[in-house]
C-alpha cells in the first residue's frame, strides 16, 4: 500500500513540476492522468467501494499435488488342506456352484418340488378317520337349503361324493377346514382345475363335523368341466404341503 502511494505521489510531483522532459499536456490529458492515479491509489484501499475485487490468492504459486499412496493388493487366501482351490466358484461342482448338487426333497435335481404320495389316512392325519370316494356325477344346478349352485355357460358341475368314517371307539372331530388341503380333478387325463368352495352340504373344503364312534358322514367336492366332456377315468388329487394322495373314481 505504501509503495503504491509513493509511486502515485512521485508521478504527481513530476507532472506538477513541469520538468522539461515531460511534454505539455492538455487539460483533458491531465484529467485522464489524475483519474488513473486516483484509481490506482484507491484501488488498494479496502474501504473504497469501487476497487477491483479479485481473489488475491491467485498470485500465490499453486502447490504441487501430493500423489495418493498406492495400496498393495490383498494376498489371496491359502487353500485349506484337502481342497482343490475351486471352492465357491460357479461350475466347479464344489460348494456354491451353479450346477446340480444331487437330489433334494425328491426333486430329481430339477429344482421343482415333487409331492410325496401318501395314503389318505396320513394326509388327513386324524386318528380313526378315513376318507373314501363313493361316486361321481354331473349337474347343471345344485339346490341347497340356502341357495343354489349353477355352472357357468358351456360348463357343467362335476360332483364327487366321499364317505368320511370314524373307525375309532370314541367321537372324533373331522376338521378338514383346518388342514389346508387343495383338490384338483382330471377327467380322461385332462385337468379341469381346482375344486370350487361352495355352500353344498359336506363340502370337503369347509368340512368341520363331529362324527360319533363308528359313524360316518357324506362329503362332496364340486368341480366345473366342459359341458361336452364324458365323465370317465376321473382322478381327484388331494395335496397338502409336500404330500399328496389320489382318489380314483
Amino acid at each position: 500500500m505504501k509503495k503504491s502511494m509513493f509511486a502515485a505521489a512521485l508521478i504527481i510531483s513530476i507532472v506538477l513540476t513541469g520538468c522539461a522532459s515531460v511534454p505539455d499536456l492538455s487539460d483533458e490529458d491531465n484529467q485522464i492522468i489524475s483519474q488513473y492515479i486516483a484509481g490506482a491509489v484507491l484501488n488498494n484501499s479496502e474501504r473504497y467501494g469501487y476497487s477491483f475485487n479479485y481473489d488475491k490468492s491467485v498470485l500465490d504459486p499453486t502447490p504441487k499435488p501430493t500423489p495418493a499412496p498406492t495400496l498393495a493388493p490383498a494376498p489371496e487366501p491359502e487353500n485349506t488342506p484337502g481342497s482343490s482351490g475351486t471352492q465357491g466358484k460357479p461350475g466347479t461342482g464344489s460348494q456354491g456352484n451353479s450346477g446340480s448338487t444331487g437330489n433334494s426333497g425328491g426333486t430329481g435335481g430339477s429344482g421343482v418340488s415333487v409331492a410325496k404320495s401318501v395314503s389318505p389316512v396320513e394326509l388327513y392325519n386324524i386318528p380313526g378317520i378315513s376318507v373314501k370316494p363313493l361316486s361321481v356325477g354331473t349337474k347343471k344346478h345344485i339346490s341347497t337349503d340356502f341357495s343354489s349352485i349353477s355352472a357357468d355357460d358351456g360348463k357343467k358341475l362335476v360332483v364327487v361324493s366321499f364317505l368320511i368314517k370314524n373307525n375309532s371307539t370314541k367321537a372324533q372331530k373331522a376338521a378338514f377346514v383346518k388342514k389346508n388341503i387343495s383338490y384338483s380333478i382330471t377327467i380322461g387325463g385332462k385337468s379341469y382345475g381346482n375344486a370350487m368352495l361352495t355352500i353344498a352340504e359336506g363340502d370337503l373344503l369347509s368340512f368341520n363335523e363331529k362324527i360319533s364312534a363308528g359313524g360316518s358322514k357324506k362329503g362332496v367336492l364340486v368341480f366345473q368341466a366342459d359341458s361336452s366332456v364324458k365323465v370317465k377315468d376321473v382322478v381327484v388329487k388331494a395335496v397338502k404341503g409336500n404330500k399328496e394322495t389320489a382318489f380314483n373314481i
Side-chain angles (χ1 to χ4, degrees), residues 148-195:
S148 63
I149 306 165
S150 300
D152 297 335
D153 292 339
K155 301 287 185 178
K156 61 183 176 182
L157 300 176
V158 180
V159 183
V160 183
S161 300
F162 295 85
L163 178 66
I164 306 170
K165 188 176 181 179
N166 179 7
N167 302 297
S168 68
T169 57
K170 60 180 181 179
Q172 292 283 4
K173 186 73 170 289
F176 294 170
V177 68
K178 298 180 180 180
K179 295 297 182 178
N180 297 321
I181 299 174
S182 62
Y183 302 89
S184 61
I185 190 171
T186 57
I187 303 174
K190 181 179 179 180
S191 175
Y192 286 92
N194 294 331

Side-chain angles (χ1 to χ4, degrees), residues 13-182:
S13 63
I14 294 174
V15 171
L16 295 179
T17 53
C19 296
S21 59
V22 179
D24 294 335
L25 301 175
S26 63
D27 293 339
E28 183 179 358
D29 292 335
N30 288 327
Q31 291 177 4
I32 294 174
I33 293 174
S34 299
Q35 292 176 4
Y36 175 80
I37 294 172
V41 174
L42 294 175
N43 190 53
N44 290 278
S45 174
E46 298 294 338
R47 297 181 181 180
Y48 180 52
Y50 298 97
S51 61
F52 299 118
N53 187 14
Y54 62 93
D55 186 6
K56 297 180 176 60
S57 65
V58 299
L59 301 177
D60 298 329
T62 303
K64 293 183 180 181
T66 303
T70 303
L71 299 178
E76 296 184 357
E78 297 181 359
N79 296 333
T80 57
S83 67
S84 60
T86 57
Q87 183 175 1
K89 295 184 179 180
T92 60
S94 60
Q95 184 178 1
N97 62 3
S98 59
S100 173
T101 58
N103 298 341
S104 176
T107 62
S110 62
V112 179
S113 178
V114 178
K116 177 184 177 182
S117 180
V118 298
S119 67
V121 173
E122 184 177 350
L123 183 75
Y124 288 97
N125 194 26
I126 301 176
I129 296 297
S130 63
V131 181
K132 295 181 180 180
L134 290 177
S135 61
V136 59
T138 61
K139 292 184 178 182
K140 188 65 179 176
H141 304 279
I142 299 177
S143 297
T144 70
D145 295 337
F146 308 99
S147 182
S148 63
I149 306 165
S150 300
D152 297 335
D153 292 339
K155 301 287 185 178
K156 61 183 176 182
L157 300 176
V158 180
V159 183
V160 183
S161 300
F162 295 85
L163 178 66
I164 306 170
K165 188 176 181 179
N166 179 7
N167 302 297
S168 68
T169 57
K170 60 180 181 179
Q172 292 283 4
K173 186 73 170 289
F176 294 170
V177 68
K178 298 180 180 180
K179 295 297 182 178
N180 297 321
I181 299 174
S182 62

Side-chain angles (χ1 to χ4, degrees), residues 201-225:
E201 184 178 358
D203 191 328
L204 292 189
L205 289 172
S206 58
F207 196 91
N208 189 24
E209 300 285 342
K210 188 174 184 178
I211 305 175
S212 60
S216 63
K217 292 195 179 237
K218 182 182 177 181
V220 297
L221 287 173
V222 182
F223 301 88
Q224 277 200 122

